[in-house]
Amino acid sequence: WVRLLLTSVGRMTGGADCTPGYYNNEGQEAGLAARLAVGYPAGASAYFMGGAVVYTRDARRLLMDIPDEAMKGIRSASEPYAKLLAGQVRGRFATDWGLSETGATGPTGNRYGDAAGHSCMAVAGPQNDVFTLETGSADRQSNMHAFAKTALNLLLENLSK
């Protein structure tokens, strides 16, 4: 089903027994990866539990149940934060996989000094993985697509292991 989301063609052929959760922070508009998910022939609810787009500390506390104390030494738009989010979304949604993305879409960088086009994404599941993407672009729309595609590919790679 992930490959289907990435290509938007074909039908799911077996092995769709897992449910992912998705978390997005600061990177892209309201869940581009989640929006891609609704194109699956059986409907997103056949495999997609839900997701959250969180921009504020209060929303992080309420939706992700991550208290301020858990953030000590961790900043947004970083690999440690992406790992924390992926694990938390997996636990909160009780899914087989959690996927997160955090970064700076553009047209400017973020307050942490990351340039536009910076994204950290992670998967949590039977195996965990994290990846940082630097597009070098300030084009917000292009970055949103690059971030979503890269995050879904990271999930696909780990589903295949």
Side-chain angles (χ1 to χ4, degrees):
W1 53 264
V2 176
R3 190 169 285 110
L4 176 65
L5 297 180
L6 288 166
T7 61
S8 298
V9 296
R11 293 197 177 273
M12 184 67 177
T13 55
D17 304 7
C18 66
T19 54
Y22 176 71
Y23 177 89
N24 169 272
N25 180 65
E26 294 183 19
Q28 51 190 305
E29 69 182 37
L32 181 58
R35 274 202 336 239
L36 291 172
V38 298
Y40 179 68
S45 60
Y47 65 91
F48 185 75
M49 179 61 104
V53 179
V54 177
Y55 286 95
T56 67
R57 186 174 294 140
D58 287 340
R60 185 196 74 229
R61 287 184 204 122
L62 292 169
L63 295 173
M64 299 307 299
D65 194 29
I66 299 174
D68 292 340
E69 301 78 47
M71 292 298 297
K72 293 211 185 302
I74 299 176
R75 71 165 180 90
S76 185
S78 68
E79 289 190 356
Y81 189 50
K83 287 181 195 178
L84 174 64
L85 297 172
Q88 197 70 3
V89 76
R90 181 183 186 214
R92 302 253 324 142
F93 283 90
T95 57
D96 298 297
W97 292 92
L99 174 63
S100 72
E101 184 275 326
T102 179
T105 332
T108 62
N110 61 28
R111 63 182 173 166
Y112 310 107
D114 300 310
H118 167 85
S119 176
C120 296
M121 51 209 70
V123 294
Q127 54 273 341
N128 301 306
D129 203 358
V130 64
F131 182 78
T132 297
L133 174 67
E134 302 286 351
T135 66
S137 171
D139 184 322
R140 184 173 179 80
Q141 194 71 24
S142 294
N143 285 334
M144 286 188 286
H145 287 274
F147 293 0
K149 183 178 180 180
T150 303
L152 289 170
N153 273 316
L154 181 66
L155 178 59
L156 181 61
E157 289 170 15
N158 281 275
L159 284 170
S160 301
K161 290 182 181 177

